[in-house]
Amino acid sequence: MRTLIPIDDPDDPRIAAYRDIRERDLVGRQGRFVAEGKVVLNVLFSASRFAAESVLLRDNRVAGMEEILRRVPEKVPVYVASAAVMDAIAGFPMHRGVLAIGRRECEEDAQALLARLPKRALVVALSGIANHDNMGAIFRNAAAFGADAVVMDAGSCDPLYRKAIRVSVGAALKVPFARASTAEDMVEALLRASFTILALSPRGERDIAQARRRARTALLLGAEGPGLPAALLDRLPSVRIAMREDFDSLNVATASAIALHRLWR
Amino acid sequence: MRTLIPIDDPDDPRIAAYRDIRERDLVGRQGRFVAEGKVVLNVLFSASRFAAESVLLRDNRVAGMEEILRRVPEKVPVYVASAAVMDAIAGFPMHRGVLAIGRRECEEDAQALLARLPKRALVVALSGIANHDNMGAIFRNAAAFGADAVVMDAGSCDPLYRKAIRVSVGAALKVPFARASTAEDMVEALLRASFTILALSPRGERDIAQARRRARTALLLGAEGPGLPAALLDRLPSVRIAMREDFDSLNVATASAIALHRLWR
């Protein structure tokens, strides 16, 4: 059985990384991220690209976690606290009671990531996806439909934000991602790596149901309101999702799922 | 120009229906619902099945609402309040500042609703969809892909809950819905109305990409965790969405979008 380390004092320096979780969501964590919930920890300790630093469980949650705890490396401490101590650490009622701290690796350059993908590859490219729910949901869909990587511009939010990881059900820890500075740079990197880019747009030239998958295909998505920059749309092949003309409104993550389901095989 | 009625006192009885919005989300509103945000009000005053009782705007939001206000019936009062008064009415900071109260109609019986649909019809049937985000997103997808109605069992949550309407971008006000008491009753009503039911399940017999649309088709969805009751799955044709075996996880609303996109035409 795994050794559990009891924490009785919310100010214990060993669990400092868990303190004031919400406030630190906003200012960042200097090379760390918070993984939350059993489903996410399951990915963190089975299929993640990232290493964990520690685990913190509420005492009543230990019982259901045996299988996951068996996969936690020996050198990663597992802390246990009562509900009251846990709430005092986190700074709000932590109903879930299952947390871990992970270590971010140095972010890879988009060009380097694309270069090492297989000859047949599906990539999701994001411009201006600023909402963490959408980011998490796009990663979930990317993992479900076997996308090899996600690339994004600087206007897209952090996939390792606590809520984005949670909404992704851990996919943000699994699917490799990298950032380019602008959407134009991202498109350049994709073209140099021989990707055919399909820009998804309500006014796309071709129905996604008719789109043909090339060996290396990238699906380019923009934010729901503004969409993709016109200058980019003008020079790339574009696809649309056919829908009712009087209610042509899909969430961007939902649109990614429909398009990836059409492209993945 | 539309007459605007200024409200200076949060206790003004004319805006009583807007008081303590969040608390009353939980206890219900006796025949009313709250519509929130410009996009939702746009549907409420153009394509809704429901009548509005009143509108309440924050003073700085009036300018962008002219086009919608032009469609507000004369007998529906439009109230305007300052940010401070509005927050005091709602009981929390109302950043959006665009609200309306709508009147629920008597809920139609599922059987009656199905009976009046056209011969060629697509219906979404829901069992145990208890999360308001999922409910709203399913309505949004149902509207985008032209579903004629949504039917649901008693274990599914209220589509006219404030957040469900918001997430649906107004589709919950547009797509007709009705409730049956149990999933079994709902299935019976669909079969009696000559619907071919396709139960969506990770272990479905047939890939949704190969599913054939009948004149009257219903897509049956269960909650993500428990899924559909085994007794139902056993007696109905079932479809699956093919995805990666090592990450077979889709949000139920996302799954509805993929399946509806395959079925709608």
Side-chain angles (χ1 to χ4, degrees), chain B residues 103-119:
Chain B
R103 212 166 26 241
R104 288 167 182 269
E105 309 302 322
C106 286
E107 257 193 44
E108 199 173 10
D109 175 56
Q111 211 174 329
L113 170 59
L114 295 173
R116 67 175 173 82
L117 294 180
K119 275 191 182 153

PDB file of all heavy atoms in Angstrom, chain B residues 103-119:
ATOM      1  N   ARG B 103     -42.835  33.975 -20.128  1.00  0.00           N
ATOM      2  CA  ARG B 103     -43.887  33.185 -19.505  1.00  0.00           C
ATOM      3  C   ARG B 103     -43.854  31.774 -20.066  1.00  0.00           C
ATOM      4  O   ARG B 103     -43.930  31.567 -21.276  1.00  0.00           O
ATOM      5  CB  ARG B 103     -45.244  33.828 -19.781  1.00  0.00           C
ATOM      6  CG  ARG B 103     -46.218  33.624 -18.668  1.00  0.00           C
ATOM      7  CD  ARG B 103     -47.445  34.521 -18.752  1.00  0.00           C
ATOM      8  NE  ARG B 103     -47.769  34.939 -20.087  1.00  0.00           N
ATOM      9  CZ  ARG B 103     -47.802  36.211 -20.491  1.00  0.00           C
ATOM     10  NH1 ARG B 103     -47.567  37.186 -19.642  1.00  0.00           N
ATOM     11  NH2 ARG B 103     -48.115  36.514 -21.735  1.00  0.00           N
ATOM     12  N   ARG B 104     -43.721  30.795 -19.173  1.00  0.00           N
ATOM     13  CA  ARG B 104     -43.805  29.403 -19.613  1.00  0.00           C
ATOM     14  C   ARG B 104     -45.221  29.100 -20.030  1.00  0.00           C
ATOM     15  O   ARG B 104     -46.159  29.497 -19.346  1.00  0.00           O
ATOM     16  CB  ARG B 104     -43.507  28.451 -18.441  1.00  0.00           C
ATOM     17  CG  ARG B 104     -42.088  28.411 -18.018  1.00  0.00           C
ATOM     18  CD  ARG B 104     -42.015  27.702 -16.661  1.00  0.00           C
ATOM     19  NE  ARG B 104     -40.648  27.692 -16.197  1.00  0.00           N
ATOM     20  CZ  ARG B 104     -39.790  26.716 -16.446  1.00  0.00           C
ATOM     21  NH1 ARG B 104     -40.180  25.666 -17.121  1.00  0.00           N
ATOM     22  NH2 ARG B 104     -38.556  26.786 -16.025  1.00  0.00           N
ATOM     23  N   GLU B 105     -45.356  28.377 -21.108  1.00  0.00           N
ATOM     24  CA  GLU B 105     -46.680  27.856 -21.433  1.00  0.00           C
ATOM     25  C   GLU B 105     -46.873  26.583 -20.638  1.00  0.00           C
ATOM     26  O   GLU B 105     -45.939  26.025 -20.095  1.00  0.00           O
ATOM     27  CB  GLU B 105     -46.758  27.536 -22.934  1.00  0.00           C
ATOM     28  CG  GLU B 105     -46.325  28.668 -23.823  1.00  0.00           C
ATOM     29  CD  GLU B 105     -47.147  29.924 -23.583  1.00  0.00           C
ATOM     30  OE1 GLU B 105     -48.358  29.793 -23.349  1.00  0.00           O
ATOM     31  OE2 GLU B 105     -46.581  31.024 -23.628  1.00  0.00           O
ATOM     32  N   CYS B 106     -48.098  26.106 -20.576  1.00  0.00           N
ATOM     33  CA  CYS B 106     -48.324  24.787 -19.999  1.00  0.00           C
ATOM     34  C   CYS B 106     -47.537  23.797 -20.832  1.00  0.00           C
ATOM     35  O   CYS B 106     -47.615  23.816 -22.055  1.00  0.00           O
ATOM     36  CB  CYS B 106     -49.805  24.416 -20.040  1.00  0.00           C
ATOM     37  SG  CYS B 106     -50.742  25.312 -18.830  1.00  0.00           S
ATOM     38  N   GLU B 107     -46.781  22.944 -20.162  1.00  0.00           N
ATOM     39  CA  GLU B 107     -45.958  22.012 -20.926  1.00  0.00           C
ATOM     40  C   GLU B 107     -46.838  20.989 -21.622  1.00  0.00           C
ATOM     41  O   GLU B 107     -47.712  20.381 -21.013  1.00  0.00           O
ATOM     42  CB  GLU B 107     -44.939  21.319 -20.020  1.00  0.00           C
ATOM     43  CG  GLU B 107     -43.549  21.916 -20.189  1.00  0.00           C
ATOM     44  CD  GLU B 107     -42.451  21.068 -19.560  1.00  0.00           C
ATOM     45  OE1 GLU B 107     -42.488  19.843 -19.731  1.00  0.00           O
ATOM     46  OE2 GLU B 107     -41.564  21.646 -18.912  1.00  0.00           O
ATOM     47  N   GLU B 108     -46.565  20.841 -22.892  1.00  0.00           N
ATOM     48  CA  GLU B 108     -47.291  19.881 -23.700  1.00  0.00           C
ATOM     49  C   GLU B 108     -46.856  18.469 -23.322  1.00  0.00           C
ATOM     50  O   GLU B 108     -45.729  18.244 -22.899  1.00  0.00           O
ATOM     51  CB  GLU B 108     -46.915  20.160 -25.163  1.00  0.00           C
ATOM     52  CG  GLU B 108     -47.855  19.618 -26.191  1.00  0.00           C
ATOM     53  CD  GLU B 108     -47.443  20.129 -27.583  1.00  0.00           C
ATOM     54  OE1 GLU B 108     -46.350  20.711 -27.713  1.00  0.00           O
ATOM     55  OE2 GLU B 108     -48.222  19.946 -28.514  1.00  0.00           O
ATOM     56  N   ASP B 109     -47.730  17.530 -23.494  1.00  0.00           N
ATOM     57  CA  ASP B 109     -47.413  16.113 -23.317  1.00  0.00           C
ATOM     58  C   ASP B 109     -46.557  15.632 -24.495  1.00  0.00           C
ATOM     59  O   ASP B 109     -46.773  16.067 -25.618  1.00  0.00           O
ATOM     60  CB  ASP B 109     -48.750  15.356 -23.249  1.00  0.00           C
ATOM     61  CG  ASP B 109     -48.531  13.871 -23.194  1.00  0.00           C
ATOM     62  OD1 ASP B 109     -47.809  13.414 -22.293  1.00  0.00           O
ATOM     63  OD2 ASP B 109     -49.091  13.180 -24.060  1.00  0.00           O
ATOM     64  N   ALA B 110     -45.600  14.726 -24.223  1.00  0.00           N
ATOM     65  CA  ALA B 110     -44.703  14.255 -25.287  1.00  0.00           C
ATOM     66  C   ALA B 110     -45.492  13.655 -26.447  1.00  0.00           C
ATOM     67  O   ALA B 110     -45.208  13.911 -27.619  1.00  0.00           O
ATOM     68  CB  ALA B 110     -43.714  13.232 -24.725  1.00  0.00           C
ATOM     69  N   GLN B 111     -46.516  12.880 -26.108  1.00  0.00           N
ATOM     70  CA  GLN B 111     -47.302  12.228 -27.146  1.00  0.00           C
ATOM     71  C   GLN B 111     -48.009  13.243 -28.056  1.00  0.00           C
ATOM     72  O   GLN B 111     -48.028  13.093 -29.271  1.00  0.00           O
ATOM     73  CB  GLN B 111     -48.334  11.322 -26.473  1.00  0.00           C
ATOM     74  CG  GLN B 111     -48.673  10.114 -27.295  1.00  0.00           C
ATOM     75  CD  GLN B 111     -49.588   9.175 -26.532  1.00  0.00           C
ATOM     76  OE1 GLN B 111     -49.516   9.096 -25.299  1.00  0.00           O
ATOM     77  NE2 GLN B 111     -50.444   8.472 -27.241  1.00  0.00           N
ATOM     78  N   ALA B 112     -48.549  14.272 -27.444  1.00  0.00           N
ATOM     79  CA  ALA B 112     -49.250  15.307 -28.215  1.00  0.00           C
ATOM     80  C   ALA B 112     -48.272  16.040 -29.129  1.00  0.00           C
ATOM     81  O   ALA B 112     -48.572  16.312 -30.299  1.00  0.00           O
ATOM     82  CB  ALA B 112     -49.931  16.298 -27.267  1.00  0.00           C
ATOM     83  N   LEU B 113     -47.093  16.351 -28.606  1.00  0.00           N
ATOM     84  CA  LEU B 113     -46.099  17.048 -29.413  1.00  0.00           C
ATOM     85  C   LEU B 113     -45.684  16.194 -30.610  1.00  0.00           C
ATOM     86  O   LEU B 113     -45.643  16.666 -31.755  1.00  0.00           O
ATOM     87  CB  LEU B 113     -44.872  17.392 -28.555  1.00  0.00           C
ATOM     88  CG  LEU B 113     -43.635  17.912 -29.294  1.00  0.00           C
ATOM     89  CD1 LEU B 113     -43.939  19.175 -30.081  1.00  0.00           C
ATOM     90  CD2 LEU B 113     -42.487  18.195 -28.321  1.00  0.00           C
ATOM     91  N   LEU B 114     -45.395  14.915 -30.356  1.00  0.00           N
ATOM     92  CA  LEU B 114     -44.939  14.037 -31.444  1.00  0.00           C
ATOM     93  C   LEU B 114     -46.015  13.889 -32.514  1.00  0.00           C
ATOM     94  O   LEU B 114     -45.725  13.819 -33.708  1.00  0.00           O
ATOM     95  CB  LEU B 114     -44.548  12.660 -30.888  1.00  0.00           C
ATOM     96  CG  LEU B 114     -43.333  12.664 -29.946  1.00  0.00           C
ATOM     97  CD1 LEU B 114     -43.137  11.281 -29.332  1.00  0.00           C
ATOM     98  CD2 LEU B 114     -42.074  13.128 -30.667  1.00  0.00           C
ATOM     99  N   ALA B 115     -47.269  13.857 -32.073  1.00  0.00           N
ATOM    100  CA  ALA B 115     -48.370  13.642 -33.011  1.00  0.00           C
ATOM    101  C   ALA B 115     -48.472  14.774 -34.033  1.00  0.00           C
ATOM    102  O   ALA B 115     -48.861  14.558 -35.178  1.00  0.00           O
ATOM    103  CB  ALA B 115     -49.685  13.496 -32.248  1.00  0.00           C
ATOM    104  N   ARG B 116     -48.120  15.987 -33.629  1.00  0.00           N
ATOM    105  CA  ARG B 116     -48.298  17.108 -34.547  1.00  0.00           C
ATOM    106  C   ARG B 116     -47.052  17.429 -35.383  1.00  0.00           C
ATOM    107  O   ARG B 116     -47.030  18.421 -36.123  1.00  0.00           O
ATOM    108  CB  ARG B 116     -48.779  18.344 -33.786  1.00  0.00           C
ATOM    109  CG  ARG B 116     -47.778  18.943 -32.823  1.00  0.00           C
ATOM    110  CD  ARG B 116     -48.324  20.241 -32.217  1.00  0.00           C
ATOM    111  NE  ARG B 116     -47.465  20.756 -31.181  1.00  0.00           N
ATOM    112  CZ  ARG B 116     -46.373  21.495 -31.416  1.00  0.00           C
ATOM    113  NH1 ARG B 116     -46.009  21.772 -32.633  1.00  0.00           N
ATOM    114  NH2 ARG B 116     -45.642  21.932 -30.399  1.00  0.00           N
ATOM    115  N   LEU B 117     -46.009  16.613 -35.292  1.00  0.00           N
ATOM    116  CA  LEU B 117     -44.813  16.855 -36.112  1.00  0.00           C
ATOM    117  C   LEU B 117     -45.055  16.397 -37.545  1.00  0.00           C
ATOM    118  O   LEU B 117     -45.900  15.552 -37.805  1.00  0.00           O
ATOM    119  CB  LEU B 117     -43.611  16.101 -35.526  1.00  0.00           C
ATOM    120  CG  LEU B 117     -43.134  16.571 -34.153  1.00  0.00           C
ATOM    121  CD1 LEU B 117     -41.932  15.743 -33.703  1.00  0.00           C
ATOM    122  CD2 LEU B 117     -42.790  18.056 -34.143  1.00  0.00           C
ATOM    123  N   PRO B 118     -44.300  16.935 -38.496  1.00  0.00           N
ATOM    124  CA  PRO B 118     -44.467  16.510 -39.888  1.00  0.00           C
ATOM    125  C   PRO B 118     -44.088  15.036 -40.083  1.00  0.00           C
ATOM    126  O   PRO B 118     -43.436  14.440 -39.240  1.00  0.00           O
ATOM    127  CB  PRO B 118     -43.515  17.427 -40.662  1.00  0.00           C
ATOM    128  CG  PRO B 118     -42.606  18.027 -39.654  1.00  0.00           C
ATOM    129  CD  PRO B 118     -43.324  18.015 -38.353  1.00  0.00           C
ATOM    130  N   LYS B 119     -44.444  14.498 -41.243  1.00  0.00           N
ATOM    131  CA  LYS B 119     -44.158  13.094 -41.520  1.00  0.00           C
ATOM    132  C   LYS B 119     -42.679  12.811 -41.555  1.00  0.00           C
ATOM    133  O   LYS B 119     -42.234  11.735 -41.191  1.00  0.00           O
ATOM    134  CB  LYS B 119     -44.775  12.711 -42.884  1.00  0.00           C
ATOM    135  CG  LYS B 119     -46.223  12.323 -42.748  1.00  0.00           C
ATOM    136  CD  LYS B 119     -46.740  11.709 -44.027  1.00  0.00           C
ATOM    137  CE  LYS B 119     -48.224  11.370 -43.863  1.00  0.00           C
ATOM    138  NZ  LYS B 119     -48.914  11.389 -45.156  1.00  0.00           N
TER     139      LYS B 119
END
